[in-house]
Amino acid sequence: MDSPRVALIGLLVLAAVVYAPLRSAPMVYEDAHYLGGNGAAPLVWHSLSGRAATWASFRVTPDPASAHVGNIALHLVNGALVAGLGGSLAGPWAGAFAAGVFLLHPLQVEAVAYITARADLLVTLFTLIALWSALVWTAAGGVWRLALCAVALAAAAGSKEIGLVALPLTLLTVAVWRPGTLATRLLTSALCVVGAVVATLSAGRIAAWIETPAHLGGTAYAWPVYARLQAAQLAELLTLAVWPIGLSLDHDPYAVPLALQVASVALVLGLVALVVWAWHRQPMTAWAIGVVLIAVAPRFLVGSSEFLKEYQFVLASVGLSVWLGSAVAASLEMAPAWRERIV
Amino acid sequence: MRIGVLLITAVVGVLWTSITVSRVAVWGDERALWVSAVQHAPTKPRVWVNVGRMHARHSHPVNAAAAYQHAIDLSAEQGRPEAERRHAAVFARINLALLLEAQGQHPLAVLYARHALAAAPNDLGIQGAAAWILRE
């Protein structure tokens, strides 16, 4: 067995040991909603509610202990998939380092410990499968890979409403890593058609979400203020990604000084500009930041009573993990330089 | 250079992993979890409502009542949107009403329940809780 795989196995075992104590963690916030009486409701109703995959997974883990174990298992699987994706993009050692970041970074704890975050873990799982299968299909073909991508995209959307971002993330991934190929053009066209159909069919529901009143879960702020506060929250999470001191179940971007809020908006706009600048110069940077921005974009457009939380950042962390993993590997001369596309 | 990068990677890896271990421990202790939340969002009314509920679950009614009252006081401060402040105040009042009712302080429980119901007359959950307190 080669060294990167050995390292990955070691990281998975370490992560399992680190997270094992969560088996006896308490339920918080909405956890009881998923594990209480609603867990016994007919599966058909929850299929119609739009989170069928998440509800189905809770029928397999119906009590707090098994639900926490389920989240831990999902996190480990996602870590392995991050290794696979990172390995595809920048070599096996980049994948191993990326998995290490993803599995053991403190910012991930809430996504694993909070039972309700199951939906976000599943979205991440299916998105990773979709990205990997799309990359491999555009390189090597195979109807089953295309089918797997389609099923994974549907499953991501069926885990949580924000799972719809798996589609633009797939578009981003093939556009950055497989530019100009016939397979990429075909896949892009197909995904754009599917996206347009889904957007058209979901327009009413999305409009309803945007107009949800504050007392039913919508935002109490006017949209410009809400977006500014959400930018401040995103900036805090990005800061925690680098310096993980100040992790909390509840953050309060309202308490951030106005000047920092405005600076956060500038940061977000700067990241968009960075994606454009890096597109041909540093594809890994463009892709990674693109993943972060696309993963959180719906939370800027649709107001909510709560701002971006740590567990909701788990999908975005895929981009950061692969970026950092490839950076470390490249610094150690174990992976190609960032300017190169190896896929 | 490689050795330097390896060293930095190792140090950062150990640091992040140790923070993860401590964070997992916090999540395993409900009290530590909410104490941590209050430290990072001390002026957010909703956090104090949840601190109160945590204390109530652990049979600390005095601490629970204090947390609910603090949430109500924070909700009265101007600054945040009125809808957000009212939402937190409603839940603080109804939870305080339930706590007082459980302690046998019925008249005071009725007062807080009526306040909560007046602020959220269409909320089924608030209606149900208030109806039980106002049953007589």
Side-chain angles (χ1 to χ4, degrees), chain A residues 42-328:
Chain A
L43 187 60
V44 170
W45 188 91
H46 293 299
S47 301
L48 297 176
S49 76
R51 297 191 180 189
T54 300
W55 285 107
S57 76
F58 279 121
R59 292 178 84 84
V60 177
T61 60
D63 58 272
S66 63
H68 280 118
V69 170
N71 277 19
I72 295 170
L74 273 174
H75 185 58
L76 297 181
V77 171
N78 285 343
L81 289 173
V82 166
L85 181 64
S88 297
L89 298 180
W93 274 115
F97 283 121
V101 174
F102 184 86
L103 286 167
L104 295 168
H105 194 286
L107 198 51
Q108 307 288 56
V109 173
E110 185 169 299
V112 183
Y114 186 32
I115 293 172
T116 302
R118 172 72 60 82
D120 297 82
L121 292 173
L122 287 172
V123 167
T124 303
L125 170 74
F126 294 123
T127 301
L128 284 166
I129 293 173
L131 297 187
W132 175 85
S133 55
L135 273 175
V136 179
W137 181 79
T138 50
V143 175
W144 72 270
R145 293 190 183 101
L146 193 61
L148 179 62
C149 181
V151 169
L153 289 174
S159 299
K160 193 174 184 180
E161 295 81 1
I162 204 169
L164 290 169
V165 300
L167 194 148
L169 284 173
T170 305
L171 285 171
L172 169 75
T173 302
V174 296
V176 172
W177 297 110
R178 295 260 193 267
T181 67
L182 176 62
T184 296
R185 291 197 191 105
L186 287 173
L187 183 62
T188 300
S189 301
L191 290 177
C192 285
V193 169
V194 170
V197 169
V198 170
T200 303
L201 294 175
S202 307
R205 179 178 280 194
I206 294 173
W209 287 335
I210 292 173
E211 293 168 8
T212 302
H215 70 277
L216 292 178
T219 181
Y221 298 90
W223 185 81
V225 177
Y226 174 80
R228 191 181 75 220
L229 292 170
Q230 193 71 295
Q233 183 57 23
L234 176 61
E236 171 156 16
L237 291 175
L238 291 172
T239 304
L240 288 170
V242 176
W243 185 246
I245 305 297
L247 296 163
S248 174
L249 180 57
D250 226 319
H251 294 273
D252 191 8
Y254 180 82
V256 173
L258 181 59
L260 282 180
Q261 293 179 22
V262 173
S264 300
V265 174
L267 172 66
V268 173
L269 295 175
L271 288 176
V272 175
L274 184 56
V275 171
V276 174
W277 176 86
W279 193 268
H280 294 293
R281 297 178 178 85
Q282 289 189 11
M284 179 60 77
T285 299
W287 176 80
I289 296 178
V291 167
V292 173
L293 293 175
I294 292 174
V296 303
R299 301 192 186 279
F300 280 84
L301 302 174
V302 179
S304 169
S305 58
E306 281 298 316
F307 295 98
L308 194 61
K309 298 177 86 70
E310 292 172 18
Y311 75 88
Q312 296 167 339
F313 199 67
V314 65
L315 179 58
S317 73
V318 169
L320 295 179
S321 299
V322 173
W323 184 87
L324 190 56
S326 65
V328 172

Side-chain angles (χ1 to χ4, degrees), chain A residues 14 18-19 21-22 24-29 97 101 104-106 109-110 113-114 214-215 220-221 241-252 254-255 306 309 324 328 331-334, chain B residues 1-3 5-6 9 13 15-17 19-21 23-25 27-30 33-34 36-38 40-44 46-47 50 53 57 78-84 86-87 122-123:
Chain A
L14 178 59
V18 166
Y19 279 104
L22 286 177
S24 55
M27 294 196 294
V28 296
Y29 278 146
F97 283 121
V101 174
L104 295 168
H105 194 286
V109 173
E110 185 169 299
Y114 186 32
H215 70 277
Y221 298 90
V242 176
W243 185 246
I245 305 297
L247 296 163
S248 174
L249 180 57
D250 226 319
H251 294 273
D252 191 8
Y254 180 82
E306 281 298 316
K309 298 177 86 70
L324 190 56
V328 172
S331 300
L332 293 171
E333 297 169 8
M334 293 173 167
Chain B
M1 163 107 172
R2 285 186 75 181
I3 292 176
V5 173
L6 265 174
T9 303
L15 183 65
W16 282 356
T17 302
I19 296 174
T20 299
V21 169
R23 195 73 193 139
V24 166
W27 269 89
D29 179 350
E30 191 181 11
L33 188 63
W34 287 111
S36 160
V38 161
H40 292 99
T43 61
K44 195 170 179 181
R46 188 179 97 137
V47 176
N50 286 297
R53 293 172 69 180
R57 274 196 297 274
Q78 299 298 319
R80 295 177 190 270
E82 197 266 336
E84 179 182 329
R86 184 174 64 237
H87 188 77
N122 299 319
D123 189 305

Side-chain angles (χ1 to χ4, degrees), chain B residues 73-125:
Chain B
D73 294 339
L74 286 173
S75 302
E77 293 177 3
Q78 299 298 319
R80 295 177 190 270
E82 197 266 336
E84 179 182 329
R85 291 186 288 115
R86 184 174 64 237
H87 188 77
V90 163
F91 279 91
R93 287 198 169 97
I94 198 64
N95 278 290
L96 185 52
L98 290 168
L99 181 71
L100 292 167
E101 182 72 12
Q103 292 189 302
Q105 299 185 53
H106 183 68
L108 210 48
V110 166
L111 184 66
Y112 279 103
R114 284 202 171 124
H115 268 128
L117 196 57
N122 299 319
D123 189 305
L124 292 177

